[in-house]
């Protein structure tokens, strides 16, 4: 095993020593629900970007390439100044939801380059313009554009012309769990010499201003710093002593130490009338004012505070040249002795070289033998994004609703039972490092996103993947009624129930050995399942509702909004999700029943539910209107009107594809080891022969294979033809979310009201969900992963005996399992360089050239025709599934 595998073997606990420090600082804390104390719930306006450098955060911190302890008490981050900007570059800039013509949108360029699960080694690259950052131009440029226009991006301003930027490369390498080497190298890629100020910062999260705990940590110059170094000593009531030590630079000399307090500059924000509420003469933006505005008296002359900076000024970095500064963080555990200042400056090069080599060794064991150099790069970058995407998430909803003792009383509207945000979720109290969908655009967990993250994470850190899945089910997250929290904007929104699917994937990737995990997640899903049955099957017909179910913009109207009068939407996808839920719980229960008989009865329970749902898909919904349209051979939603009449929503979208995911290959060992399940099914079918179609028998290789399928063989094969049709769902880069047959649009007329939508391969042209999400054509890796997994299950069972035309109409027949692999390869190929060096997945606005084409990007979704990245630009959450495709080219064997 590699050295990193050895560290992981000691780190099953999420707070194990090697996990105590990591890149857990958020990329954006402003504009989040946690920081919003407004009456109307307008998080973007209550805490805007313009306040971030002057105003203290309540529930977290943000920064560039931030590093912190697992509780977020102490933070270290990068800060830069090019002598042109009007502020110190301390955090990433982007547009708010209302400002962006397609919703919120970050306007920066950076890449996670390397990352190991214990954060023993991590590298990060930021592209910093040498001209003044065009904050106002970006806001104004996007304000002038509408939903039919492309977004106005940083590169569109021309600021990178002539490669006039610095590449700032940051490395973290741990010598021990609490001894971290940090190296910052900035390279001038421009034609001329250019100035650059490097001002890495250390600060304590403000825990003392809220009237809950008045203990105040301190930062002071370290008296033990040896000659040739500068140091800051931190003293914290829980962390103990912490040192940050920096080497003098050969040309720039020792850094200048600047100190202030991590507290709000009330006067700077709100004028002299707010002077009484300012508790320090040296607030949080003092370092900015000292460096950018030359205010020598801005920082504390006593050299003490709760925030400090190491300031190097390089007045002319030659073109093509680099400057490097080095720092080292050492800490105690609050009780024992830590590394001293002298020890903290030794063997720096050896630590970096060792951790870099260990990282290569680790990934050589993770990736399959024979993986190409490019695919290895893609997978390692995806895994790095997952590691850098871990962020500390602090949110005590009860405390947030009632406000802090030292703060003003919150507006009463916030606690209103129906209009207040998250008032039904006062039990949520999270203080955990959680995998985020995107570092900047979604710096808050989303439960179904996280489930997909865990499938990729399981290849490098199965213990942490399991813990993340279980975390969403713990009593401080899961609602007492069994619902899983969706995301902080509205915990009550309904996410698709993909937890059982992801749990089985993680269990299988980890070698099918951790039955304890499988039992824990199975028990939690026994609490979650009744919530769906009781809340989302209004008529008891086994046809489910659920709202948007993650597919924000796929329907003719906003499916998350309550329909007028007595109207109700019976959803093909909601019903499909529940069929898949039942089959995965059946599979989990059967696995556990091999060693514990009690689970056999759980298995038969889910078999019964599955058969009832299967019947509803085959037969009728509550108003005897089939979800299956025998005319166009596709599944559709049904709108049940106030008059009781049912109307089919004839849209060919991902909604109608998802019933394919309700498939399971019955393991060969069931007859011998769990005969009661076999007998139960036989007896049930004898009483209800119409359900026999749900179990498909196939003779293959001299053996009988049995497949449980929510839909009939005929329906499966009909949907498969559409799925593999390049004129419909099959694109050169994966499966589209809306059929390309709708390029000219589709209209539905119900009671004189017309709804319409059209295939949109790129950005959303609707303001639905803020205009920043689009399921009307683009490729999404998570649902593609579900579909290719389902194809393999079918191909190893009911579809094993014959080939399928791929693509539809080509005349070429291939095994279904091979088709699944080929579709996944289409998705991997999006991230590989094309003939011109540019990767198809690269967003439109990224310039071309060696300095840009070297770096794959992992967007939220991808153009349904070209594969270009769209939406959030750092979604190495679920888009990291591309690494899963690289690691398991033949897929998980669900038998």
């Amino acid at each position: 095993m590699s050295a990193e595998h050895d560290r992981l073997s000691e780190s099953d606990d999420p707070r194990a020593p090697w996990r105590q420090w990591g890149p857990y600082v958020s990329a954006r804390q402003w504009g989040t629900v946690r920081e919003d104390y407004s009456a109307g719930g307008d998080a973007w306006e209550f805490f805007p970007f313009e306040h971030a450098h002057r105003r203290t955060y309540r529930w977290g911190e943000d920064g560039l390439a931030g590093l912190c302890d697992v509780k977020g008490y102490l933070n270290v981050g990068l800060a830069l100044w090019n002598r042109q900007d009007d502020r110190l570059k301390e955090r990433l800039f982007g547009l708010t939801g209302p400002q962006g013509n397609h919703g919120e949108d970050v306007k920066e360029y950076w890449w996670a380059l390397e990352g190991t699960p214990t954060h023993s080694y991590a590298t990060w690259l930021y592209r910093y313009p040498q001209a003044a950052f065009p904050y106002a131009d970006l806001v104004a440029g996007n304000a002038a554009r509408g939903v039919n226009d492309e977004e106005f991006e940083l590169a569109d301003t021309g600021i990178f012309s002539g490669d006039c930027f610095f590449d700032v490369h940051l490395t973290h390498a741990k010598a021990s769990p609490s001894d971290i080497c940090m190296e910052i190298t900035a390279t001038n890629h421009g034609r001329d010499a250019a100035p650059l100020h490097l001002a890495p910062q250390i600060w304590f999260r403000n825990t003392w201003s809220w009237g809950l705990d008045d203990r105040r940590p301190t930062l002071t110059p370290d008296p033990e710093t040896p000659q040739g170094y500068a140091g800051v000593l931190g003293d914290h009531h829980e962390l103990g002593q912490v040192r940050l030590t920096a080497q003098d630079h050969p040309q720039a000399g020792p850094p200048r130490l600047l100190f202030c307090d991590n507290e709000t500059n009330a006067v700077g924000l709100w004028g002299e009338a707010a002077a009484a509420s300012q508790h320090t003469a040296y607030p949080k933006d003092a370092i900015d004012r000292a460096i950018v505005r030359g205010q020598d008296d801005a920082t504390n002359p006593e050299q003490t505070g709760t925030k400090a900076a190491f300031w190097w000024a390089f007045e002319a970095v030659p073109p093509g040249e680099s400057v490097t500064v080095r720092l080292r963080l050492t800490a105690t555990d609050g009780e024992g002795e830590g590394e001293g200042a002298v020890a903290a400056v030794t063997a720096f090069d050896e630590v970096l070289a060792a951790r870099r080599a260990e990282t290569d060794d680790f990934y050589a064991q993770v990736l399959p033998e024979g993986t190409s150099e490019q695919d290895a790069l893609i997978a390692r970058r995806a895994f790095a994004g997952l590691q850098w995407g871990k962020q500390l998430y602090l949110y005590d909803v009860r405390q947030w609703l009632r406000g802090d003792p030292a703060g003003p009383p919150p507006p009463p509207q916030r606690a209103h039972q129906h209009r207040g945000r998250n008032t039904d979720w006062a039990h949520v109290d999270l203080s955990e490092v959680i995998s985020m969908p995107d570092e900047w655009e979604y710096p808050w967990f989303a439960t179904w996103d996280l489930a997909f993250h865990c499938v990729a994470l399981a290849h490098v850190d199965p213990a942490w993947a399991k813990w993340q899945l279980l975390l969403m089910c713990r009593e401080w997250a899961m609602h007492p009624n069994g619902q899983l929290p969706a995301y902080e904007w509205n915990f009550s929104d309904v996410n698709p129930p993909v937890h059982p699917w992801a749990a089985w994937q993680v269990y299988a990737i980890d070698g099918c050995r951790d039955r304890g995990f499988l039992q824990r997640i199975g028990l939690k899903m026994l609490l979650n399942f009744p919530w769906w049955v009781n809340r989302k099957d209004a008529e008891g017909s086994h046809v489910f509702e659920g709202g948007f179910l993650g597919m924000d913009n796929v329907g003719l109207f906003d499916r998350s909004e309550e329909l007028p009068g007595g109207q109700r939407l019976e959803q093909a996808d909601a019903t499909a999700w529940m069929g898949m839920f039942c089959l995965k719980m059946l599979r989990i229960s059967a696995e556990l029943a091999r060693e514990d008989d009690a689970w056999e009865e759980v298995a038969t329970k889910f078999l019964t539910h599955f058969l009832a749902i299967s019947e509803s898909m085959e037969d009728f919904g509550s108003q005897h209107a089939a979800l299956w349209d025998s005319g166009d051979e596709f599944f559709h939603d049904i709108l049940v009107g106030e008059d009781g009449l049912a109307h089919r929503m004839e849209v060919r979208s991902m909604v109608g594809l998802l019933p394919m995911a309700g498939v399971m290959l019955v393991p060969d060992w069931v007859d011998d080891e769990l005969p009661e399940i076999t007998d139960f099914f036989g007896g049930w079918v004898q009483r209800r022969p119409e359900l026999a179609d749900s179990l498909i028998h196939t003779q293959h290789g001299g053996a009988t294979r049995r497949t449980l399928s929510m839909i009939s063989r005929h329906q499966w094969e009909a949907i498969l033809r559409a799925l593999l049709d390049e004129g419909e769902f099959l694109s050169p880069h994966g499966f589209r979310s809306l059929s390309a047959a709708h390029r000219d649009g589709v209209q539905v007329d119900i009671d004189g009201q017309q709804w319409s939508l059209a295939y949109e391969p790129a950005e959303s042209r609707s303001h639905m969900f803020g205009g920043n999400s689009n399921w009307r054509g683009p490729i999404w890796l998570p649902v593609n992963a579900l579909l290719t997994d389902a194809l393999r299950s079918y191909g190893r069972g009911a579809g094993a005996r014959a080939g399928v035309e791929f693509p539809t109409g080509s005349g070429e027949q291939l095994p279904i399992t091979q088709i699944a692999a080929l579709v996944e390869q289409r998705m991997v190929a999006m991230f590989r360089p094309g003939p011109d060096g540019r990767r198809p997945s690269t967003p439109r606005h990224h310039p071309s050239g060696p300095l840009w084409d070297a770096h794959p990007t992992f967007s939220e979704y991808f153009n349904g025709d070209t594969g270009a990245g769209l939406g959030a630009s750092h979604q190495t959450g679920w888009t990291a599934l591309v690494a899963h495709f690289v690691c398991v080219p033949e897929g998980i064997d669900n038998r």
Side-chain angles (χ1 to χ4, degrees), residues 606-726:
F606 281 102
L607 178 57
T608 303
H609 277 286
F610 165 74
L611 292 171
I613 292 172
S614 178
E615 183 182 17
S616 74
M617 295 293 286
E618 178 68 26
D619 190 9
F620 299 99
S622 63
Q623 300 300 315
H624 296 279
L627 297 173
W628 175 255
D629 186 334
S630 58
D632 71 352
E633 297 196 307
F634 206 76
F635 286 102
H636 302 289
D637 288 343
I638 298 291
L639 181 65
V640 181
E642 298 176 70
D643 55 5
L645 296 178
H647 307 271
R648 185 176 288 119
M649 315 300 282
E650 294 181 351
V651 175
R652 296 172 71 84
S653 76
M654 187 62 67
V655 165
L657 299 176
L658 282 170
M660 295 182 66
V663 61
M664 171 186 148
L665 188 60
V666 179
D668 296 336
W669 46 260
V670 167
D671 283 350
D672 293 332
E673 297 187 38
L674 306 175
E676 287 188 23
I677 292 180
T678 303
D679 293 343
F680 178 89
F681 185 81
W684 187 270
V685 170
Q686 190 174 13
R687 295 190 299 273
R688 301 283 302 279
E690 70 274 14
L691 299 179
D693 288 347
S694 298
L695 184 63
I696 304 171
H697 291 76
T698 308
Q699 293 295 321
H700 183 73
T704 299
R705 296 187 180 180
R706 294 170 298 171
T707 307
L708 281 168
S709 176
M710 188 163 55
I711 59 179
S712 70
R713 184 192 294 272
H714 170 75
Q715 290 169 336
W716 229 97
E717 293 172 348
I719 296 175
L720 193 57
R721 285 193 295 272
L723 184 69
L724 303 181
D725 186 339
E726 292 180 316

Side-chain angles (χ1 to χ4, degrees), residues 143-226:
R145 299 189 178 197
V147 292
N148 293 321
D149 302 311
E150 293 179 333
E151 296 154 11
F152 185 59
E153 302 289 359
L154 180 59
D156 295 332
T157 67
I159 202 168
F160 292 115
S161 297
D163 293 338
C164 291
F165 54 80
F166 284 97
D167 268 351
V168 184
H169 188 281
L170 181 138
T171 300
H172 295 155
K174 291 183 180 179
S176 73
S178 56
D179 179 1
I180 307 167
C181 300
M182 289 176 278
E183 182 178 78
I184 303 165
T185 297
T187 302
N188 179 5
H189 287 292
R191 295 184 292 263
D192 302 312
L196 180 66
H197 292 224
L198 297 175
Q201 299 178 353
I202 178 172
W203 71 99
F204 287 109
R205 176 167 57 88
N206 189 324
T207 58
W208 57 87
S209 293
W210 321 111
L212 299 168
D213 184 351
D214 61 1
R215 291 176 294 178
R216 182 188 295 261
T218 59
L219 294 170
T220 57
D222 187 353
E224 297 184 17
T225 304

Side-chain angles (χ1 to χ4, degrees), residues 205-468:
R205 176 167 57 88
N206 189 324
T207 58
W208 57 87
S209 293
W210 321 111
L212 299 168
D213 184 351
D214 61 1
R215 291 176 294 178
R216 182 188 295 261
T218 59
L219 294 170
T220 57
D222 187 353
E224 297 184 17
T225 304
Q227 187 71 25
Y229 295 85
V232 169
L233 178 66
D235 200 344
H236 189 273
H237 48 276
E238 287 204 28
L239 290 178
Q241 286 193 335
V242 183
R243 286 184 163 88
L244 186 60
T245 308
Q247 290 179 298
D248 293 355
H249 190 273
Q251 286 81 44
R256 180 179 170 185
L257 298 181
L258 304 175
F259 291 83
C260 65
D261 291 305
N262 184 17
E263 297 194 28
T264 298
N265 183 349
V267 173
L269 284 170
W270 299 296
E272 290 297 332
S277 63
Q278 185 161 316
H279 303 297
T280 176
Y282 312 104
K284 148 178 198 181
D285 65 333
I287 293 169
D288 173 270
R289 287 183 285 120
I291 295 175
V292 177
R293 291 164 181 76
Q295 297 178 10
D296 291 336
D297 59 350
T299 55
N300 192 340
E302 301 296 323
Q303 290 201 301
T304 186
T306 51
K307 180 180 178 181
F310 294 74
W311 177 20
W312 287 274
F314 299 94
E315 296 305 330
V317 181
E321 297 294 321
S322 301
V323 293
T324 297
V325 300
R326 287 177 159 183
L327 304 96
R328 194 155 180 171
L329 180 72
T330 58
T332 69
D333 60 4
E335 298 177 1
E337 293 296 322
E339 300 287 344
V342 175
V345 300
T346 59
F348 202 104
D349 287 321
E350 289 88 340
V351 172
L352 263 65
R355 296 297 175 259
R356 188 179 300 115
E358 290 167 2
T359 301
D360 290 338
D361 187 22
F362 174 71
Y363 282 113
Q365 296 189 37
V366 167
L367 298 172
E369 187 176 353
T371 302
S372 70
E373 183 177 340
Q374 267 302 325
D375 284 4
L377 171 70
I378 292 163
R380 287 178 66 160
R381 289 291 183 90
F383 287 132
L386 282 170
Q387 308 308 329
W388 281 94
K390 298 176 183 176
Q391 296 181 4
L392 178 64
Y393 188 83
L394 302 170
Y395 192 19
D396 179 345
V397 175
R398 189 179 302 277
Q399 185 67 51
W400 176 78
L401 287 170
R402 69 188 178 198
D404 296 314
Q413 296 94 322
R414 296 181 68 244
H416 190 280
Q417 185 175 359
H418 301 295
R419 294 195 297 272
R421 176 172 283 140
N422 294 332
T423 54
D424 291 337
W425 292 79
H427 69 284
V428 170
D429 185 3
L430 289 163
S431 177
E432 307 288 356
V433 175
I434 301 178
S435 182
M436 301 297 168
D438 174 275
E439 293 176 67
W440 190 93
E441 295 190 36
Y442 304 116
W444 30 261
F445 74 87
T447 298
W448 87 301
D449 293 61
L450 182 142
F452 291 110
H453 305 180
C454 291
V455 174
L457 280 165
H459 291 284
V460 293
D461 195 356
W464 205 76
K466 296 170 200 172
W467 177 72
Q468 288 283 285

Side-chain angles (χ1 to χ4, degrees), residues 70 150 256 459 514 553 571 669 755 786:
V70 76
E150 293 179 333
R256 180 179 170 185
H459 291 284
D514 191 351
N553 212 5
Q571 297 174 221
W669 46 260
W755 285 293
L786 290 173

